[in-house]
Amino acid sequence: MHEKCGVVGVSLEDRDAARPLYYSLYALQHRGQESAGIVTHDGFQQHSHVEMGLVGDAFQQGDLEDLNGSHGIGHVRYPTAGGVNASCAQPFSVSFKSGSLGLSHNGNLVNADEVGDQLAELGHAFTSDGDTEVIAHDLARNLLEEDLVRAVKRTMSRIHGSYSLTIMHDDTVLGVRDPEGNRPLCIGELEDGYVLASESAAIDTLDGELIRDVRPGELVVLHADGTGYDTYQLVQPENTAHCFFEHVYFARPDSVIDDELVYEVRRDLGRALWDESGIDSDVVMPVPDSGRAFASGYAEAANEDDDADGVEFAEGLMKNRYVGRTFIMPTQDERERAVRLKLNPIKSTVEDKTVTLIDDSIVRGTTSNQLVQLLYDAGAEEVHVRIGAPPIVAPCYMGIDMASREELIAADQSVADIRDEIGADSLAYLSIDAVAGALSKSKADLCLGCVTGEYPYDIDGEAKDREVDRPAIGTTASADD
Ligand code: 5GP
Ligand code: MG
């Protein structure tokens, strides 16, 4: 199961947490549109509301009023091509002998089956096939024997893979980020409390202040009175495995990840694209909205280049904002129709011009294929395609539902073949080195599985890009900050 989701957790001094959680979920809606949910705790008991659909549809006025308590967590879930599954909607909530637990998970475990089987043998009964429930049961079991921090640490030593979690144990809200830091998670301060969220844009929405990213391998425990938090570096990773695709496509451009504004990273990727494969043309235009920052960086670099003719940066494609997601549609025919529904050329910026079309990524090739044709039909003389990421040659197992190998246009074709297939005059992708450069990271600290076919995790039938000695488990839990 591939879960690319949004998580949030809030602990406030006095005020009910439901409304801030609800607004944060709106801010994280791009991370998941299949279901939305909130679980709160009022000091005595949990309150939960989880529904299929967009945040605005999943909650009605009365629903928020029933969610009492100044502590809570929330979740938006990404739809997967495998089908809609209400039993996997989150937050997952459950009561054990050791107290009540709520969990919101972004990521994907690689050993959930193994841990789940062991727990089932010990008598744990599961209601879903989701890995989040496995984490919940393991944690509940550990909580019978240990304090909260040690229990989380023990669970972290058993589960492998990608997980950014917000957890509520009774009225204590915590955030946990896996040792590889695969998915983002950050912490922010509000006037009357603290917030944990997948992306800083959610903190902005609450008029809060981003404090910093939760570190890979770190546990953050928000004080139940809303006045502070403790942090524990439970696992000390040797290398991280940040998902570069968060910066390229997934995160909001107005979010800050690893101290860098995503928008600026995308502009830098666009600049690098000009440096590596710039080509003179009359106009540079983005595929809206995902190509916009790349195209602006690319055009800026082109216009600063003394050896180039200079280009016009123009909007050449109008997006119909009322058409929803096209990427997830089940058949190729529907996906093609949907691209046409969604985008229409602006003739004056295209006709009789040489055009460079810029997008963040090519997955199946549907978008580029359709758009190149559309631009020719609108009178373009030449269409050059530039892509702000390397060719996607392999699937993602860590939370981005990218389609299977057979569907990936670059899985077994050269760039020249792909150029032929989409019918462009030229096609170039960005190099992996340029991606690492723009992210100011060593390749050893990135998960590059989808562009190299080698993964930082043990995945059945796939190659590994590193010796993963499981990161050392720290022996002491210490509070800092
Ligand atoms: P393609 O049409 O080649 O299959 O997909 C490429 C387009 O889909 C690009 O415009 C890119 O912005 C977008 N895209 C890439 N990855 C994802 C994803 O995981 N989900 C969704 N919804 N869109 C994606
Ligand atoms: Mg796009």
Side-chain angles (χ1 to χ4, degrees), residues 346-351 353:
I346 296 170
K347 216 162 179 181
S348 64
T349 55
V350 175
E351 200 163 24
K353 304 248 172 74

Side-chain angles (χ1 to χ4, degrees), residues 436-472:
L439 267 57
S440 318
K441 290 242 175 343
S442 127
K443 283 187 277 184
D445 287 320
L446 292 172
C447 178
L448 296 165
C450 64
V451 294
T452 61
E454 292 177 7
Y455 300 83
Y457 304 92
D458 279 313
I459 295 163
D460 274 352
E462 298 285 5
K464 204 129 138 232
D465 73 356
R466 60 190 71 182
E467 280 301 310
V468 189
D469 283 333
R470 293 304 313 168

Side-chain angles (χ1 to χ4, degrees), residues 4 78 245 249 290 325 327 359-361 363-367:
K4 132 179 136 171
Y78 187 70
F245 212 66
Y249 170 76
S290 51
R325 299 165 38 78
F327 188 84
D359 204 358
D360 65 301
S361 60
V363 182
R364 300 184 184 90
T366 319
T367 308

Side-chain angles (χ1 to χ4, degrees), residues 130-189:
D131 45 6
T132 308
E133 193 176 356
V134 171
I135 302 175
H137 280 264
D138 193 73
L139 188 56
R141 194 175 180 83
N142 296 337
L143 279 167
L144 290 173
E145 293 169 14
E146 314 219 73
D147 64 31
L148 184 59
V149 174
R150 276 169 220 285
V152 171
K153 185 164 141 182
R154 204 198 267 187
T155 293
M156 286 174 82
S157 71
R158 273 161 67 75
I159 58 174
H160 302 325
S162 110
Y163 52 92
S164 280
L165 298 162
T166 53
I167 303 176
M168 194 165 56
H169 176 234
D170 294 332
D171 59 1
T172 302
V173 173
L174 11 155
V176 181
R177 195 166 174 211
D178 69 66
E180 278 85 18
N182 184 249
R183 298 278 143 222
L185 187 67
C186 57
I187 176 163
E189 183 169 6

Side-chain angles (χ1 to χ4, degrees), residues 85-139:
N85 188 346
S87 75
C88 288
Q90 296 189 18
F92 181 81
S93 64
V94 65
S95 277
F96 294 103
K97 228 187 298 175
S98 46
S100 70
L101 273 180
L103 275 92
S104 294
H105 178 199
N106 172 206
N108 198 31
L109 299 187
V110 295
N111 70 338
D113 290 348
E114 200 181 308
V115 178
D117 287 349
Q118 287 165 9
L119 287 166
E121 265 169 43
L122 294 167
H124 287 255
F126 293 92
T127 59
S128 74
D129 56 4
D131 45 6
T132 308
E133 193 176 356
V134 171
I135 302 175
H137 280 264
D138 193 73
L139 188 56

